[in-house]
Amino acid sequence: MSKKVKISIQGNEFLIPSTSIQECSYDNETYVHMRAKLCASIIKQFVKKNFPNLKVWAGSDVYSGGSSVRVEVCNEDGSQVESSIFEKISQWKHILQGGTFNGMIDMYESREDSPTTDKGTPLKYFPSYVFVENKPKWGSPEYWLNQWNELKDNYINVNDFLNQNKTYMTDKEFEKVSNLNLV
């Protein structure tokens, strides 16, 4: 079990695994290795701390050309988050992304700044992309609740909705959604 350490970025405190604190062998510089999984955790911690009534999912992918983070947020009923709140959450895309893709020249351009924690420890090796979406995670009970709220006029009743969408749900998801008060 790894120990956790506190860091602060832009006035926000986060608990991160102590293994994320690295030391460069050639210049003995200590830095925070901002891998995709850590960045996903930081955004999720930010949402849970500042907006405890929101639902948030965060995940990461690592592949041969880089890495990415995907974050979905929504209200408890699956509806979209108010735009001013979503903007505060979306700012982390720019804080934690390693650069941007420039379609005009078909090239990924790495960030040129040198971000640090509030105490001055460098943050290095960010994920290539961070995606923040204002919608529930596909397949979650909140997703199906939102689908019902948006499409209920197209169905005879909630059982009709559930039966037509059951093939898209795992048994566990179907059970959770069936137990929701969709009416």
Side-chain angles (χ1 to χ4, degrees):
M1 187 135 162
S2 100
K3 290 183 180 179
K4 301 276 186 175
V5 294
K6 280 186 186 179
I7 63 168
S8 182
I9 303 172
Q10 295 193 352
N12 297 283
E13 280 194 356
F14 303 101
L15 280 176
I16 65 169
S18 60
T19 55
S20 297
I21 308 296
Q22 304 278 313
E23 189 169 317
C24 185
S25 60
Y26 65 89
D27 65 3
N28 293 328
E29 177 187 46
T30 300
Y31 65 92
V32 180
H33 188 201
M34 300 299 293
R35 64 190 188 282
K37 185 177 180 180
L38 177 61
C39 291
S41 172
I42 285 173
I43 298 172
K44 190 170 185 174
Q45 287 179 57
F46 174 79
V47 173
K48 286 185 171 280
K49 181 179 179 184
N50 293 289
F51 310 104
N53 294 330
L54 297 183
K55 291 289 192 169
V56 59
W57 298 265
S60 61
D61 292 304
V62 177
Y63 37 86
S64 63
S67 60
S68 63
V69 171
R70 180 166 308 279
V71 177
E72 291 111 343
V73 295
C74 69
N75 290 309
E76 290 179 341
D77 65 354
S79 64
Q80 288 192 340
V81 173
E82 182 183 317
S83 62
S84 62
I85 293 172
F86 185 69
E87 285 177 26
K88 289 176 186 172
I89 297 167
S90 294
Q91 75 178 345
W92 290 94
K93 168 187 169 64
H94 307 292
I95 295 169
L96 300 177
Q97 186 167 283
T100 57
F101 182 78
N102 184 337
M104 294 297 287
I105 58 174
D106 195 27
M107 184 175 129
Y108 186 84
E109 297 175 332
S110 296
R111 68 188 303 161
E112 294 185 9
D113 61 343
S114 300
T116 64
T117 64
D118 293 346
K119 290 188 176 182
T121 305
L123 304 173
K124 295 184 175 187
Y125 311 115
F126 294 91
S128 304
Y129 299 99
V130 176
F131 304 101
V132 182
E133 298 182 275
N134 194 353
K135 65 180 187 178
K137 182 177 180 177
W138 193 93
S140 66
E142 292 78 15
Y143 172 84
W144 292 110
L145 180 57
N146 188 51
Q147 287 294 104
W148 167 251
N149 288 330
E150 288 182 5
L151 303 172
K152 61 185 164 191
D153 294 339
N154 298 338
Y155 294 95
I156 299 167
N157 57 39
V158 70
N159 289 330
D160 183 39
F161 169 77
L162 289 172
N163 288 332
Q164 287 191 22
N165 289 291
K166 183 177 181 171
T167 57
Y168 304 110
M169 300 179 212
T170 64
D171 290 340
K172 188 175 181 179
E173 289 169 350
F174 183 77
E175 183 181 330
K176 283 183 179 179
V177 174
S178 296
N179 291 331
L180 291 174
N181 188 12
L182 296 179
V183 181

